[in-house]
C-alpha cells in the first residue's frame, strides 16, 4: 500500500552524541513537580552517562514514555496521574545497547499528602437529547467543607460530602468528544483532585474492537477471523472494509461477524475499518497486522493480584494479566471452590469481590478462556488478607553515618503494627520511594535533599491516614559551597541608537546574602541581588566589532565565579529568516524526502542547515526551495537554518516523530498534492475525486469541517490548535484519509 502524509510542528530536539564503547548509565536524579488542578504532575529525569549511543528510551509501569536524545537531558515525563495508587518506576535503556540501563522507583504520588478524593461506583444512563444521568460516590480524606465538580473543563457545582452518593439528572454531555471528562476537587484545594473519563453516551461510537482467528490452514495459507465490538447510538447496520477491500454490509444484531478464507500475505498488514451505515463519521479502526502463519494460539500470562483497601471487613482483589488471542467469548475466574465471575477481555484490570478479609483464607484465582481449552493462568495471595487490624505507627528514629564530617548514609526506623504491606517515604520534597515494612531499618544513601533540617513523611501505602510526620536536624552536616552555573544568554532587538540588552539567566547554589557582581568585558557593570529569573544587562553597543564576555561573581564568596560569552559579534542590521513552509514526499520503506522553503531579508548569499545537530550542507538562498532526502519515519527532527555571516539570524523548524499513515483507499502523492502554509491547508484533487465529500477530523474522531472537494482547495485552519488532523474523502463507495499537522 502506498502511504502519504504531511506534517510540520514546532518541537525542540537536541543534537545527538556519537556512539561510544563501554556503555554506562549512572544513577537517575529525579525531580517531581507540584500537581496541577487536574491532579497530574511532571517528573524531570537526569543522569550521567558515557559510551552510549545517540538515544535512550524511558519505560515503566507497562508504558513507553518516549525516545530521547542524550543531549536533551534533563527530560520531562508527563503529565502523570497523582492517584496515590500507582507505584511509579522509570527504567532508562540505551536504544542500541539494550543491556545498558538504569532504574529508579519514584513511589506513589499524591497531590497532597493530607488530602485525597477518588471517584468510585461511577454510573451513567442512556442519553436523552444531550443530557444523561450521572451517579457516583467518593472516597475522601479531606476537610469537611464539601467538594467541587467540573464537567469537560467547566465548573458544574458545589456539593457536601453528606449528599453522597450523588445522583445528577439532566447532566450535560459533550456533543463531539468520545469521553466526558469529570474532575472532582476538595473545596478550595486545587491540588486535591481526581479525574476520570466516562464513555460519552450521547454520540454515535464504535469502540472496544476485538478479533479472534477461529480457523487457520498452514498448507492452504488462509485464515478465518471473527470481529466483535461495542457500539452505541448507531443505525441498524455497518460497512466493513480494509486494505482496499469491501467485505460488505452487516447488521449490528448479527455481531460477531465472520470473514472466511482470508489469504496469508507477508506484505499485507490486515486492517479493518468499520463505518456506520447512516453516519460516516461514526467509525472504528482495528489493525491485525501481517498474517503469514498460524500464530494465533490463545495465551494468558503475567497474572498479578492486589488487595484493595478494606471496607467493613471486606475487600476487592484487583487482577491484571496479559492476554494474547483470547476468544471473543471472554473468560471465567474461579477459586477457593467457587466461580467468582465471567468477564470480557479488554479491560486494564478486573475487580473480584467483595471478599471476606478474615485473616485466614489464602485467596486463589484461576483464569480460564471460555472457548480455548488449555488457555489459562492463575494467581493467588501468598498470605491471608486481614481487614481487622487498624494501621498504627509509632516513634521514628534516625541513625547517622558520618565520614570526615560528611553525611554518607543514615538509617530510618519506626514502630508499627503491620505484618505485611509497604510504606511510602518522603523527605522534604524528595520522594525516596516505596518499601516493604520488612526492609526496616531502611538505609538511605542518596542524600539529594536540603540539610540540615528535614521533614520526614511516612505513609502506609494503602491507608494514607496511617502516617508519621516528624522534623529532624542532622548533626553530621557541612554547609555546601557556593556555585554559579548554567549561564545562558540572548540579546534583545536593537533600539534606535543601535544598542541592545543582554538577557542573562543562571543558576546559583548556596549563594551569599550580598548579591553578585556582573562584569562586561572585564569592567564592573553592576551589583545585583539574587532572585530574578532573567537579568537585563545594558544598553550595550551593537557595533559589529565587540565580542562580549560576562562574568558573574558572588560578593560574599569571591571564589564563586562563572563566565559566559557570546560566540559572535552583535550587529543591528535586520537580517531575518521567517515563514517556513514544509512539504513531504512519498513514504517508501519508512523513509521520506522533505522540501523546505522560507522567506529571507538582509542576508548573506549563503546559509547553513543542520538536521538534529549534524550539518546537512551550505546552500545559496537562490537555490530555495531545498530538499532533504532519506529522513526516517518515527524520528523527531530539529532543522536549524542560519545565515552564513550572521549566526544569530536563524530559523528553527521541528518535525515530530511521525509515521506513514494508512487508509482504506489512499491516493498516491502523484495524484494529489497537500501542504500547510501558515493558516491554510492547500491541496489539489485529481479529476476522479473532484466533488467528493471532504471532512477535517481530529484524532478523537470529532468532525471539524465538512465541505465539497474541488480541483484546487484552500481551507482556513487558523482556528485549529497545533496538532495532527485527518483529511477524510468519500465518493462513490470509496474513501481515502490523509494525515497532516497544523503548525
Amino acid at each position: 500500500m502506498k502511504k502519504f502524509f504531511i506534517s510540520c510542528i514546532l518541537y525542540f530536539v537536541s543534537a545527538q552524541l556519537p556512539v561510544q564503547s563501554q556503555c554506562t548509565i549512572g544513577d537517575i536524579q529525579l525531580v517531581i513537580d507540584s500537581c496541577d488542578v487536574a491532579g497530574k504532575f511532571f517528573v524531570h529525569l537526569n543522569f550521567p552517562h558515557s559510551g552510549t549511543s545517540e538515544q535512550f528510551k524511558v519505560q515503566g509501569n507497562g508504558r513507553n514514555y518516549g525516545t530521547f536524545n542524550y543531549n536533551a537531558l534533563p527530560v520531562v515525563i508527563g503529565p502523570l496521574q497523582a492517584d496515590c495508587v500507582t507505584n511509579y518506576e522509570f527504567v532508562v535503556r540505551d536504544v542500541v545497547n539494550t543491556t545498558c540501563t538504569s532504574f529508579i522507583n519514584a513511589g506513589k504520588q499524591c497531590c497532597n499528602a493530607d488530602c485525597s478524593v477518588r471517584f468510585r461506583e461511577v454510573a451513567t444512563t442512556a442519553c436523552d437529547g444531550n443530557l444523561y444521568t450521572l451517579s457516583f460516590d467518593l472516597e475522601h480524606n479531606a476537610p469537611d467543607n464539601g467538594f467541587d465538580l467540573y464537567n469537560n473543563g467547566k465548573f458544574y457545582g458545589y456539593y457536601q460530602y453528606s449528599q453522597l452518593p450523588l445522583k445528577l439528572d439532566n447532566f450535560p454531555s459533550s456533543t463531539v468528544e468520545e469521553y466526558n471528562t469529570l474532575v472532582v476537587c476538595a473545596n478550595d484545594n486545587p491540588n486535591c483532585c481526581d479525574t476520570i473519563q466516562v464513555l460519552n453516551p450521547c454520540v454515535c461510537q464504535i469502540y472496544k474492537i476485538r478479533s479472534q482467528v477461529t480457523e487457520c490452514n498452514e498448507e492452504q495459507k488462509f485464515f478465518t477471523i471473527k470481529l466483535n465490538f461495542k457500539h452505541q447510538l448507531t443505525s441498524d447496520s455497518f460497512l466493513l472494509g480494509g486494505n482496499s477491500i469491501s467485505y460488505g454490509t452487516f447488521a449490528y444484531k448479527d455481531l460477531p461477524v465472520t470473514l472466511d478464507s482470508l489469504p496469508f500475505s507477508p506484505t499485507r498488514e490486515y486492517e479493518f475499518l468499520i463505518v456506520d451505515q447512516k453516519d460516516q463519521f461514526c467509525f472504528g479502526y482495528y489493525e491485525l497486522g501481517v498474517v503469514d502463519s498460524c500464530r494465533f494460539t490463545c495465551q494468558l500470562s503475567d497474572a498479578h493480584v492486589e488487595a484493595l483497601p478494606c471496607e467493613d471487613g471486606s475487600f476487592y482483589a484487583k487482577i491484571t494479566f496479559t492476554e494474547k488471542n483470547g476468544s471473543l467469548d471472554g473468560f471465567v475466574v474461579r477459586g477457593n471452590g467457587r466461580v467468582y465471575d465471567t468477564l470480557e477481555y479488554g479491560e486494564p484490570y478486573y475487580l473480584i469481590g467483595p471478599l471476606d478479609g478474615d485473616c485466614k483464607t489464602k485467596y486463589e484465582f484461576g483464569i480460564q478462556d471460555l472457548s480455548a481449552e488449555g488457555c489459562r493462568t492463575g494467581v493467588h495471595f501468598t498470605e491471608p488478607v486481614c481487614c481487622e487490624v487498624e494501621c498504627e505507627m509509632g516513634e521514628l528514629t534516625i541513625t547517622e553515618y558520618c565520614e570526615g564530617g560528611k553525611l554518607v548514609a543514615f538509617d530510618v526506623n519506626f514502630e508499627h503494627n503491620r505484618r505485611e504491606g509497604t510504606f511510602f517515604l518522603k523527605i522534604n520534597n524528595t520522594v525516596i520511594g516505596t518499601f516493604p515494612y520488612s526492609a526496616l531499618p531502611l538505609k538511605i544513601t542518596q542524600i539529594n535533599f536540603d540539610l540540615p533540617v528535614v521533614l520526614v513523611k511516612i505513609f502506609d501505602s494503602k491507608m494514607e491516614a496511617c502516617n508519621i510526620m516528624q522534623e529532624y536536624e542532622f548533626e553530621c552536616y557541612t554547609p555546601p559551597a557556593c556555585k554559579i552555573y548554567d549561564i545562558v544568554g540572548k540579546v534583545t532587538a536593537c533600539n534606535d541608537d543601535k544598542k541592545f540588552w543582554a538577557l542573562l539567566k543562571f543558576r546559583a547554589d548556596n549563594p551569599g546574602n550580598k548579591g553578585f557582581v556582573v562584569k562586561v568585558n572585564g569592567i564592573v557593570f553592576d551589583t545585583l541581588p539574587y532572585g530574578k529569573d532573567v537579568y537585563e544587562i545594558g544598553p550595550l553597543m551593537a557595533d559589529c566589532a565587540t565580542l562580549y564576555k560576562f562574568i558573574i561573581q558572588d560578593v560574599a564568596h569571591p571564589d564563586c565565579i562563572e563566565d559566559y560569552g557570546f560566540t559572535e559579534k552583535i550587529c543591528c542590521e535586520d537580517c531575518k529568516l521567517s515563514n517556513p513552509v514544509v512539504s513531504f514526499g512519498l513514504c517508501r520503506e519508512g523513509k521520506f524526502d522533505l522540501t523546505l522553503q522560507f522567506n529571507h531579508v538582509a542576508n548573506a548569499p549563503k546559509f547553513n542547515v543542520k538536521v538534529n545537530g549534524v550539518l546537512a550542507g551550505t546552500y545559496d538562498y537562490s537555490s530555495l526551495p531545498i530538499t532533504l532526502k532519506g529522513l526516517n519515519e518515527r524520528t523527531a527532527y530539529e532543522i536549524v537554518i542560519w545565515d552564513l555571516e550572521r549566526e544569530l539570524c536563524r530559523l528553527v523548524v521541528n518535525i515530530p516523530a511521525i509515521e506513514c499513515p494508512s487508509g482504506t483507499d489512499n491516493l498516491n502523492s502523484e495524484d494529489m498534492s497537500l501542504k500547510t502554509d501558515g493558516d491554510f491547508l492547500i491541496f489539489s484533487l485529481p479529476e476522479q475525486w473532484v466533488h467528493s465529500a471532504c471532512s477535517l477530523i481530529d484524532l478523537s474522531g470529532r468532525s471539524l469541517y465538512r465541505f465539497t472537494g474541488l480541483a484546487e482547495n484552500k481551507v482556513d485552519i487558523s482556528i485549529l490548535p497545533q496538532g495532527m488532523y485527518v483529511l477524510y474523502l468519500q465518493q462513490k463507495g470509496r474513501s481515502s484519509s490523509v494525515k497532516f499537522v497544523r503548525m
Side-chain angles (χ1 to χ4, degrees):
M1 174 183 293
K2 294 185 177 179
K3 301 182 179 180
F4 175 80
F5 68 95
I6 184 164
S7 301
C8 183
I9 191 170
L10 294 179
Y11 182 78
F12 178 80
V13 179
S14 296
Q16 300 174 326
L17 292 173
V19 176
Q20 302 177 12
S21 60
Q22 301 297 322
C23 176
T24 301
I25 298 176
D27 292 338
I28 300 172
Q29 294 88 49
L30 187 69
V31 176
I32 302 178
D33 285 347
S34 300
C35 294
D36 62 17
V37 69
K40 296 184 179 181
F41 67 98
F42 291 81
V43 296
H44 302 252
L45 297 177
N46 202 355
F47 52 85
H49 58 92
S50 63
T52 57
S53 68
E54 298 175 340
Q55 294 181 313
F56 63 91
K57 288 184 177 180
V58 180
Q59 299 169 307
N61 303 100
R63 295 174 57 186
N64 185 351
Y65 293 109
T67 301
F68 307 87
N69 291 336
Y70 283 96
N71 268 8
L73 287 169
V75 297
V76 180
I77 307 296
L80 306 173
Q81 186 69 48
D83 57 7
C84 300
V85 175
T86 304
N87 184 13
Y88 282 102
E89 57 188 16
F90 301 96
V91 179
V92 175
R93 188 182 306 276
D94 190 270
V95 169
V96 176
N97 306 297
T98 57
T99 60
C100 184
T101 65
S102 188
F103 170 86
I104 190 169
N105 189 322
K108 298 179 182 179
Q109 302 301 314
C110 298
C111 288
N112 188 318
D114 299 320
C115 179
S116 66
V117 291
R118 291 189 184 88
F119 283 104
R120 53 175 292 185
E121 299 177 3
V122 180
T124 61
T125 65
C127 191
D128 183 8
N130 193 39
L131 304 173
Y132 67 102
T133 298
L134 170 71
S135 60
F136 64 89
D137 204 349
L138 294 176
E139 291 181 3
H140 57 92
N141 176 26
D144 194 20
N145 60 343
F147 61 93
D148 299 319
L149 178 65
Y150 297 84
N151 181 32
N152 293 323
K154 296 181 180 180
F155 175 77
Y156 184 79
Y158 166 80
Y159 305 92
Q160 296 289 341
Y161 293 108
S162 59
Q163 295 175 260
L164 294 169
L166 197 62
K167 181 180 179 182
L168 301 174
D169 295 320
N170 299 320
F171 196 77
S173 174
S174 170
T175 60
V176 293
E177 298 294 343
E178 182 179 358
Y179 290 89
N180 287 312
T181 300
L182 306 177
V183 178
V184 62
C185 294
N187 184 244
D188 297 328
N189 189 349
N191 293 322
C192 183
C193 301
D194 192 23
T195 302
I196 63 169
Q197 289 187 318
V198 295
L199 190 69
N200 188 341
C202 297
V203 296
C204 175
Q205 295 196 48
I206 294 172
Y207 61 103
K208 289 191 177 179
I209 305 173
R210 289 186 55 81
S211 72
Q212 179 185 1
V213 175
T214 58
E215 297 180 25
C216 189
N217 191 310
E218 290 276 8
E219 294 181 357
Q220 299 183 16
K221 300 186 181 301
F222 73 84
F223 67 101
T224 297
I225 187 171
K226 278 187 177 181
L227 293 171
N228 203 0
F229 54 86
K230 303 291 185 181
H231 60 95
Q232 68 174 25
L233 299 182
T234 54
S235 64
D236 61 350
S237 58
F238 60 93
L239 304 174
L240 176 60
N243 303 100
S244 302
I245 300 171
S246 175
Y247 296 112
T249 302
F250 302 85
Y252 288 102
K253 65 181 180 61
D254 293 333
L255 285 170
V257 298
T258 301
L259 302 179
D260 294 310
S261 302
L262 300 181
F264 285 8
S265 173
T267 58
R268 175 184 297 170
E269 294 186 358
Y270 272 99
E271 55 191 14
F272 300 94
L273 179 65
I274 303 162
V275 182
D276 187 82
Q277 176 73 11
K278 294 185 178 180
D279 186 355
Q280 65 182 11
F281 299 101
C282 180
F283 61 87
Y285 180 77
Y286 180 79
E287 287 186 329
L288 178 64
V290 172
V291 179
D292 55 6
S293 63
C294 294
R295 52 175 174 80
F296 298 98
T297 303
C298 174
Q299 297 179 18
L300 305 180
S301 60
D302 298 329
H304 299 278
V305 64
E306 173 188 357
L308 297 186
C310 295
E311 183 175 345
D312 298 329
S314 299
F315 71 101
Y316 280 85
K318 180 180 179 181
I319 296 178
T320 60
F321 62 91
T322 300
E323 169 261 331
K324 183 177 181 181
N325 303 316
S327 71
L328 299 183
D329 297 328
F331 62 95
V332 62
V333 182
R334 299 185 179 92
N336 301 96
R338 56 184 287 197
V339 174
Y340 290 118
D341 210 344
T342 299
L343 302 163
E344 294 182 351
Y345 294 109
E347 299 299 331
Y349 61 86
Y350 301 89
L351 297 181
I352 303 298
L355 305 173
D356 186 11
D358 58 5
C359 304
K360 298 178 181 179
T361 306
K362 290 185 179 181
Y363 286 98
E364 58 189 20
F365 307 92
I367 304 166
Q368 168 69 55
D369 189 277
L370 287 173
S371 298
E373 185 176 355
C375 184
R376 64 184 65 188
T377 188
V379 68
H380 64 276
F381 289 116
T382 58
E383 296 289 339
V385 177
C386 289
C387 290
E388 298 178 352
V389 180
E390 292 292 333
C391 173
E392 294 181 3
M393 293 184 182
E395 181 181 0
L396 171 70
T397 58
I398 291 181
T399 304
E400 302 180 28
Y401 297 92
C402 191
E403 295 181 2
K406 181 179 179 181
L407 182 69
V408 295
F410 61 93
D411 287 343
V412 174
N413 203 356
F414 58 93
E415 297 178 353
H416 63 90
N417 68 340
R418 307 298 277 172
R419 295 183 305 164
E420 58 182 15
T422 59
F423 64 90
F424 173 79
L425 174 61
K426 186 176 183 180
I427 300 180
N428 287 348
N429 292 320
T430 300
V431 174
I432 306 302
T434 300
F435 308 93
Y437 286 95
S438 59
L440 290 170
L442 185 67
K443 184 177 291 293
I444 307 299
T445 57
Q446 291 187 347
I447 306 172
N448 53 351
F449 41 80
D450 294 333
L451 296 178
V453 179
V454 298
L455 178 62
V456 181
K457 299 180 181 179
I458 300 172
F459 300 87
D460 184 85
S461 297
K462 296 182 179 179
M463 299 180 62
E464 294 180 19
C466 182
N467 61 71
I468 302 173
M469 295 187 188
Q470 181 174 317
E471 192 174 85
Y472 180 82
E473 183 173 0
F474 284 92
E475 297 179 359
C476 182
Y477 173 71
T478 301
C482 170
K483 181 181 179 182
I484 295 173
Y485 60 104
D486 287 354
I487 304 177
V488 293
K490 64 179 181 179
V491 300
T492 65
C494 294
N495 61 17
D496 294 339
D497 297 328
K498 293 189 176 182
K499 294 183 178 180
F500 71 98
W501 278 259
L503 304 180
L504 298 182
K505 185 176 183 179
F506 63 92
R507 300 175 66 182
D509 291 344
N510 311 299
N513 58 5
K514 297 181 181 180
F516 61 93
V517 171
V518 178
K519 295 181 181 180
V520 180
N521 288 351
I523 300 174
V524 174
F525 174 82
D526 203 351
T527 300
L528 301 170
Y530 292 101
K532 291 185 178 181
D533 289 335
V534 178
Y535 293 88
E536 296 185 359
I537 309 300
L540 305 174
M541 183 62 70
D543 56 8
C544 302
T546 304
L547 187 62
Y548 285 96
K549 181 178 181 180
F550 305 88
I551 294 176
I552 298 177
Q553 183 177 30
D554 189 89
V555 174
H557 308 287
D559 293 337
C560 185
I561 187 171
E562 186 65 25
D563 62 72
Y564 173 83
F566 290 144
T567 59
E568 63 177 45
K569 301 166 184 178
I570 309 302
C571 296
C572 282
E573 298 178 11
D574 296 325
C575 173
K576 185 178 181 182
L577 310 181
S578 62
N579 298 327
V581 176
V582 177
S583 59
F584 296 77
L586 181 66
C587 184
R588 299 180 185 274
E589 298 180 352
K591 294 184 179 292
F592 62 92
D593 296 342
L594 179 150
T595 301
L596 175 65
Q597 176 67 279
F598 58 88
N599 295 339
H600 53 93
V601 295
N603 48 263
K606 297 179 180 292
F607 63 93
N608 288 330
V609 177
K610 274 187 179 181
V611 178
N612 283 357
V614 178
L615 184 66
T618 301
Y619 304 89
D620 293 326
Y621 285 98
S622 60
S623 67
L624 286 169
I626 63 171
T627 299
L628 303 177
K629 296 182 176 294
L631 302 184
N632 296 318
E633 67 168 337
R634 300 188 182 94
T635 301
Y637 286 99
E638 179 194 56
I639 302 173
V640 181
I641 307 153
W642 73 95
D643 190 83
L644 190 61
E645 297 181 3
R646 299 173 179 84
E647 186 176 346
L648 293 181
C649 181
R650 60 177 52 210
L651 179 65
V652 179
V653 177
N654 290 270
I655 309 300
I658 55 179
E659 60 181 296
C660 303
S662 63
T664 59
D665 192 18
N666 278 352
L667 293 168
N668 298 332
S669 62
E670 292 87 351
D671 300 326
M672 174 184 180
S673 65
L674 183 151
K675 67 178 181 179
T676 55
D677 188 356
D679 292 335
F680 293 94
L681 172 67
I682 301 172
F683 66 94
S684 62
L685 292 175
E687 181 179 354
Q688 63 270 29
W689 284 87
V690 174
H691 304 306
S692 59
C694 300
S695 302
L696 294 188
I697 302 172
D698 65 17
L699 294 187
S700 70
R702 179 178 59 174
S703 177
L704 306 175
Y705 299 141
R706 299 183 184 182
F707 55 93
T708 299
L710 304 176
E712 301 294 334
N713 301 268
K714 186 174 184 180
V715 181
D716 187 346
I717 58 173
S718 59
I719 66 171
L720 297 183
Q722 291 183 353
M724 186 168 288
Y725 299 87
V726 177
L727 172 63
Y728 182 78
L729 299 94
Q730 191 172 42
Q731 184 184 56
K732 298 179 181 179
R734 58 178 180 166
S735 64
S736 179
S737 61
V738 182
K739 289 183 180 179
F740 68 92
V741 170
R742 163 82 166 106
M743 293 197 331

